[in-house]
Amino acid sequence: MAEKNVTIPLTGMTCASCAVNIERAVRKLPGVNEARVNFASEQASVSFDPEKVQVEAVLEKIKDAGYSVARASVDIPVTGMTCANCAMAVERALKKKVPGIISASVNFASERARVEYVPTITGLDEMIAAIEGAGY
């Protein structure tokens, strides 16, 4: 599979040494080919082999290094669910099929999915495609 490149918005850096710390931490992950952090733009550019490492592992490594990833959230209406298992199926589809999802919580009763995600990695179109792909 081809190399994948992502841009990750960062928060919590206070100096150029912070950028170096993040680069060093992310580069330790198996499958990461390159990690560059720009202190001024507060972004990390990471190139990796998606067969060896997933975006979620990169996000976790940044968190473990003491920094945060900027995130966004959205509420998505979900129709067609008939039980709580349907809600769990939608959550699984979002978490497993859409890179950049930080958390997904689906409420069967209100027919809504609350999703936290990294906006530079994924967007609403990908989330809706995953929900529809799961049959909802």
Side-chain angles (χ1 to χ4, degrees):
M1 185 175 250
E3 182 174 87
K4 186 165 183 165
N5 299 301
V6 294
T7 301
I8 302 169
L10 303 170
T11 61
M13 292 189 296
T14 57
C15 63
S17 292
C18 294
V20 172
N21 289 338
I22 296 169
E23 286 177 356
R24 199 174 296 134
V26 172
R27 285 183 184 145
K28 289 181 182 178
L29 286 168
V32 171
N33 301 319
E34 181 149 12
R36 290 189 182 151
V37 177
N38 185 311
F39 172 65
S41 68
E42 295 185 308
Q43 291 187 334
S45 297
V46 182
S47 300
F48 61 96
D49 180 344
E51 291 185 7
K52 294 180 181 175
V53 67
Q54 299 299 311
V55 171
E56 292 73 21
V58 175
L59 300 177
E60 190 64 30
K61 192 59 124 170
I62 292 168
K63 181 181 169 192
D64 290 347
Y67 304 93
S68 299
V69 174
R71 54 184 74 195
S73 62
V74 65
D75 283 326
I76 305 168
V78 181
T79 58
M81 295 186 294
T82 59
C83 63
N85 285 335
C86 294
M88 290 189 323
V90 172
E91 282 182 18
R92 272 193 307 275
L94 286 165
K95 291 176 184 176
K96 295 205 181 278
K97 303 283 184 189
V98 184
I101 297 291
I102 296 168
S103 69
S105 176
V106 179
N107 185 312
F108 164 64
S110 69
E111 295 187 312
R112 300 197 75 72
R114 175 85 173 153
V115 183
E116 273 193 283
Y117 64 100
V118 180
T120 58
I121 298 175
T122 194
L124 189 56
D125 291 342
E126 291 89 349
M127 291 178 231
I128 291 171
I131 293 168
E132 289 175 347
Y136 303 96

